[in-house]
Amino acid sequence: MEAYAIALIAVGSFLTLLILIGVGCCARRRHARIRLDGRHVLITGGSSGLGLAIAKEAARRGAYVTILARTTSTLAEATASIQQVAARPDAVQWVSADVTKLSEVEEKVKAACTAFGRPFLVLCCAGAAEPSYFLQCDPDLHRAQMDLNFHSCVNTARACIPLMSAPASANGGKERGESYRDTSPLLTRPKYGENGHIVFTSSLAGMTGVFGYTAYSAAKWAVRGFAESLYYELLPLGVGVSVMFPGDVDTPGYARENERKPEETKAMEGQVKCISAEKAAKKLLAGVLDRRFLVTYGDGFLLECSVFGLSPRGRALHFFLSPIVHLAKLVVVPGFEKVARRSRYFVHADGVSEGQV
């Protein structure tokens, strides 16, 4: 009996220690929420879909809003719709650039800063999914998806971060290529997010692989890895980083995606709820303004808990829910495998057949 009591005490002490370690590791110093009123918010992919919805939400909060995309006619229409809901209707502008081309992004970002000053909040929302069977898709699809969904984020970061972190000057900051090493004493360096915040858009497909998304998932996983590495580099510059992971959002892009989505992909998605761009924008922007690193909503938070790992700015809930989510994998993953095995997608001498469940 004595041995049994000792074992119980030992197990209880061990669990208590684990909880204390989890809370201690996940605890973080609270920073003030990001305030948008009177600050410059720049959004790539801001002419439609989620980017446009976020632009409207920022404009309602009194921000000076710049939207960046390629098509001028769409940009003009989007700007007019933002002005209708903006607290400052005259504080909305658009610039046209191809986000896959660094020189264009740098030029147009500097032009936008001439009117509204350096950007304080930058959101990289440009992107699109083109699902396809790997062996059926154009060999260039993976490169194109990386350019649009990943390299667009890299280009925007290269164009904006020097302006956000450099000392103010007539031309909006130092030129690209200059050294930004801060040699000032540690006590005088900027606090986290003091000079602004940059946000990258991944996807729930950037947390788990999905049948038919070999190109899209790869690009969205790359976004998270890039953002996590960049987070540490920007700490001494006072620029914060977040990554948004939206699920299915009712946008024109999502409608086009569904037109070419394999049946197996639809089966794996099951009853995943598609929400409006406006609702997703409010939920995601709330997480960004709270300075969270991984920003999800709804069921996406469970995936967040399962993949959080050593990502920065953790929360105690990640520690507590992670074991539960891993247990759920025992049901979810076999379900995905069952759908994949039932597919009639196969290779033969003349090419690849149409897959279907």
Side-chain angles (χ1 to χ4, degrees), residues 133 136 262-264 343-346 352-357:
Y133 297 104
Q136 282 184 334
E263 291 302 316
E264 296 88 345
S343 171
R344 282 181 272 175
Y345 163 58
F346 63 93
V352 183
S353 75
E354 279 296 325
Q356 54 182 205
V357 180

Side-chain angles (χ1 to χ4, degrees), residues 133 210-213 248 254 258 261-272 332 335-343 356-357:
Y133 297 104
V210 180
F211 191 112
Y213 280 137
D248 290 343
Y254 180 65
N258 278 335
K261 187 175 291 182
E263 291 302 316
E264 296 88 345
T265 309
K266 295 177 182 178
M268 285 185 179
E269 288 179 341
Q271 301 301 313
V272 174
V332 175
F336 284 178
E337 291 174 341
K338 182 179 179 181
V339 171
R341 288 194 179 102
R342 289 172 56 196
S343 171
Q356 54 182 205
V357 180

Side-chain angles (χ1 to χ4, degrees), residues 267-291:
M268 285 185 179
E269 288 179 341
Q271 301 301 313
V272 174
K273 186 178 180 182
C274 179
I275 69 173
S276 69
E278 291 72 25
K279 190 172 182 179
K282 288 181 180 179
K283 290 177 179 291
L284 292 169
L285 189 58
V288 168
L289 298 184
D290 279 338
R291 302 180 189 271

